[in-house]
């Protein structure tokens, strides 16, 4: 977890040379640096974010490493974006073993999919520092620990 959780300040390196066009969270809130608009507000460590960039770039965030087994994630019915907080990669079917009956699809940023109903794992391993999209059949009321291997 970074010391300063302000979204705009945390991703400031992406805005150099007008590289970042837009960033969005799971709710559709946006950050538009060209207009100085930060509808996201604070960074949420459990959420995944989408970035539209003019060219490839890495984002490094320094701070306290979160313990995934102590960081529950709440999921709504339908689409969710979440951050994979583990420091080691793990097979998608292992990570989601307790949720496989609720999951419709999980996708990575390359569009590869994990489809548990079909026994298909095109993603392979979930990777540290990556965000993923997850579609579930019904909301998970109690926050879950999808990352407790």
């Amino acid at each position: 977890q970074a010391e300063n959780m302000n979204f705009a300040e945390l991703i400031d390196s992406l805005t150099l040379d007008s590289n970042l066009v837009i960033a969005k969270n799971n709710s559709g809130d946006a950050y538009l640096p060209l207009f100085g608009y930060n509808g996201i507000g604070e960074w949420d460590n459990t959420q995944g974010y989408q970035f539209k960039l003019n060219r490839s770039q890495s984002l490094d965030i320094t701070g306290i490493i979160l313990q995934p087994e102590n960081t529950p994630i709440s999921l709504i019915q339908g689409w969710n974006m979440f951050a994979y907080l583990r420091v080691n990669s793990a097979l998608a079917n292992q990570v989601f073993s307790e949720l496989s009956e609720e999951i419709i699809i999980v996708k990575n940023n390359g569009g590869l999919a994990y489809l548990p109903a079909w026994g298909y794992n095109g993603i392979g391993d979930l990777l540290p520092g990556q965000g993923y999209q997850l579609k579930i059949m019904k909301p998970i009321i109690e926050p879950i620990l999808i990352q407790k291997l």
Side-chain angles (χ1 to χ4, degrees):
Q1 177 162 325
E3 192 172 303
N4 180 356
M5 298 297 282
N6 179 278
F7 190 85
E9 293 178 29
L10 201 58
I11 67 162
D12 185 57
S13 65
L14 297 179
T15 65
L16 300 175
D17 300 324
S18 300
N19 191 31
L20 176 66
V21 177
I22 188 172
K24 290 174 44 178
N25 66 11
N26 190 57
S27 302
D29 301 320
Y31 170 60
L32 299 156
L34 184 63
F35 300 101
Y37 176 73
N38 182 5
I40 293 174
E42 298 289 308
W43 184 275
D44 180 347
N45 289 318
T46 65
Q47 198 169 122
Y49 294 91
Q50 294 177 322
F51 296 92
K52 177 166 176 41
L53 303 169
N54 289 316
R55 64 190 169 288
S56 295
Q57 185 176 346
S58 295
L59 176 64
D60 295 319
I61 299 175
T62 58
I64 299 168
I65 295 175
L66 296 174
Q67 301 300 314
E69 60 276 6
N70 296 326
T71 309
I73 296 175
S74 297
L75 300 171
I76 60 171
Q77 181 177 356
W79 284 104
N80 296 266
M81 288 192 293
F82 69 95
Y84 182 68
L85 300 175
R86 297 177 55 80
V87 295
N88 297 311
S89 58
L91 287 169
N93 55 318
Q94 292 175 336
V95 172
F96 299 112
S97 62
E98 294 180 20
L99 286 178
S100 61
E101 291 186 18
E102 302 301 328
I103 293 174
I104 298 170
I105 187 172
V106 178
K107 296 191 315 184
N108 67 9
N109 63 352
L112 298 175
Y114 165 60
L115 299 155
W118 295 85
Y120 177 75
N121 182 6
I123 292 175
D125 287 353
L126 273 65
L127 303 174
Q130 295 289 310
Y132 294 85
Q133 294 178 311
L134 166 80
K135 187 172 186 183
I136 58 172
M137 293 183 216
K138 62 182 180 180
I140 307 295
I141 307 291
E142 294 295 319
I144 58 160
L145 299 171
I146 62 173
Q147 310 184 70
K148 65 171 187 178
L149 286 179

